[in-house]
Amino acid sequence: MQIVRSLAELNSFPSPSVVSIGNFDGVHCGHRMVVASVIARAREIGARAAVVTFDPHPAHILHNTSRLPLITPLAEKLELLDQTGVDLALVLPFTEELRLWTARQFAERVLRDGLQAVEVHEGETFRFGHRAEAGIDSLSQIGRELGFLVRAYEPYILRGAAVSSSRIRTLVSTGELPQARALLGRSFSIHSTPASGRGYGTRYTVPTVNLAPYGDLLPAHGVYITTLRVGTGDQARVFRGVTNAGNRPTFGADSFAVETHLLDFEPIDLDETSPLEMTFLYRLRGEQRFPNPEALRAQIGLDVRRAQRYFTLCDALHVSLH
């Protein structure tokens, strides 16, 4: 997948396109349904399959009183879009200038002049332009004038409700991970590195890893069954674990951490730049304050045994953990 970060760069890649525009946060089942149709149609007519997304997420500019936690920060979003087979991703900087473009200006500059769109595929609730002035009907009318067709999609319904990034965000933030997995089409995961100042060396021999501070979406405070991928490519190692995401109230003052006890640990090469992917599978319990460290250790033993039973059952049923 080619990644283009400005309209000027598109001059190097002239080609008619079938396009979908969106934030694509999570690249969930609904997103992938539309992107698959874009790709199929592009292949049918000999065009390029393209997606348009934004950086930063428009909500970070339009609603700056509180930062929207992303399901998939940009790097992970682009990796997931690449896996769909789409040909090109146009990542537009969401600037004050772009925010003020009218719907027609956006269609002319991005769709007609930039991507040479012949078709645009969008959900029927799609809105664009300054103050979200235009919807799918306006896009269709503009398309007729500018020379592209518009295909609108009904919401992707799963378990009685439309699949959406906001719905997934709510499920993850309340710890309902199996439900979030159904909507994402994969288990929820985050990408990070080890926390600094923890003594990580060339050869790491302690079966506990803390993640660096993470600013996007995390599950509700509590204890989870997880996997941790260390490294990338063929050299990556995947460990099963039990992870506490929270403030560790037993130790007094708030000290938020995402801390994982690795169940099948073997010494590994690890430093503070090592790429980590934490996959959250199931919430064992909420955050608790224990009367003393001994009570905490006893509960951790129970958590570990429950996690081991979970993994044993998944192995027996050949259930994918990702």
Side-chain angles (χ1 to χ4, degrees):
M1 180 180 77
Q2 294 171 327
I3 299 173
V4 176
R5 297 180 184 271
S6 72
L7 291 174
E9 286 183 66
L10 283 175
N11 294 331
S12 302
F13 306 101
S15 177
S17 303
V18 180
V19 183
S20 186
I21 310 158
N23 294 312
F24 299 106
D25 189 25
V27 194
H28 56 58
C29 292
H31 294 143
R32 291 203 303 277
M33 176 193 69
V34 175
V35 172
S37 294
V38 165
I39 294 169
R41 182 59 177 154
R43 301 292 180 265
E44 182 181 346
I45 64 175
R48 170 178 59 189
V51 294
V52 180
T53 193
F54 306 94
D55 182 43
H57 192 293
H60 294 170
I61 303 299
L62 301 174
H63 311 293
N64 57 12
T65 54
S66 61
R67 185 182 183 279
L68 181 74
L70 298 178
I71 305 167
T72 47
L74 181 63
E76 286 74 56
K77 176 169 67 176
L78 291 174
E79 181 179 332
L80 290 166
L81 287 169
D82 186 25
Q83 292 170 13
T84 68
V86 73
D87 300 315
L88 181 140
L90 170 60
V91 182
L92 287 177
F94 194 80
T95 61
E96 181 67 12
E97 178 187 1
L98 178 59
R99 183 183 73 84
L100 295 175
W101 283 3
T102 66
R104 187 173 188 92
Q105 285 175 320
F106 184 92
E108 289 175 347
R109 296 172 184 179
V110 177
L111 297 175
R112 183 192 64 187
D113 300 341
L115 289 165
Q116 303 172 45
V118 292
E119 290 187 17
V120 179
H121 294 220
E122 297 296 337
E124 61 182 21
T125 60
F126 174 72
R127 303 202 64 83
F128 71 118
H130 183 48
R131 297 185 183 275
E133 63 180 344
I136 203 72
D137 290 340
S138 297
L139 180 62
S140 298
Q141 176 59 42
I142 294 171
R144 284 190 288 271
E145 297 169 12
L146 299 184
F148 58 81
L149 299 174
V150 173
R151 179 177 175 185
Y153 294 78
E154 294 181 352
Y156 187 93
I157 303 299
L158 190 63
R159 299 187 177 183
V163 175
S164 68
S165 299
S166 59
R167 184 181 169 199
I168 293 167
R169 221 173 272 119
T170 298
L171 289 170
V172 172
S173 65
T174 54
E176 298 175 81
L177 295 170
Q179 296 90 326
R181 175 185 173 125
L183 274 59
L184 283 168
R186 65 185 186 280
S187 296
F188 172 74
S189 66
I190 64 171
H191 290 73
S192 187
T193 54
S196 61
R198 299 289 298 184
Y200 300 109
T202 303
R203 200 69 178 160
Y204 193 64
T205 59
V206 179
T208 302
V209 175
N210 282 39
L211 268 62
Y214 186 78
D216 283 297
L217 185 64
L218 283 168
H221 289 189
V223 177
Y224 294 86
I225 299 172
T226 58
T227 63
L228 182 69
R229 180 183 298 273
V230 180
T232 59
D234 294 339
Q235 303 303 313
R237 296 285 306 280
V238 179
F239 298 98
R240 297 174 174 189
V242 174
T243 296
N244 182 83
N247 289 320
R248 302 183 290 184
T250 302
F251 297 100
D254 285 355
S255 54
F256 182 85
V258 179
E259 183 176 23
T260 297
H261 175 71
L262 304 175
L263 303 182
D264 49 355
F265 178 74
E266 296 177 4
I268 52 173
D269 292 327
L270 188 72
D271 61 33
E272 292 174 1
T273 66
S274 298
L276 304 177
E277 181 182 11
M278 174 76 70
T279 300
F280 292 85
L281 301 171
Y282 185 78
R283 190 177 195 227
L284 289 171
R285 58 179 174 87
E287 191 170 57
Q288 295 176 245
R289 182 185 296 275
F290 294 91
N292 51 60
E294 290 73 22
L296 172 60
R297 280 195 292 271
Q299 180 60 56
I300 291 172
L302 293 174
D303 296 335
V304 167
R305 288 193 287 276
R306 288 185 64 191
Q308 289 169 333
R309 289 196 294 271
Y310 176 94
F311 287 122
T312 297
L313 183 59
C314 288
D315 290 343
L317 297 176
H318 304 289
V319 174
S320 171
L321 300 177
H322 299 284

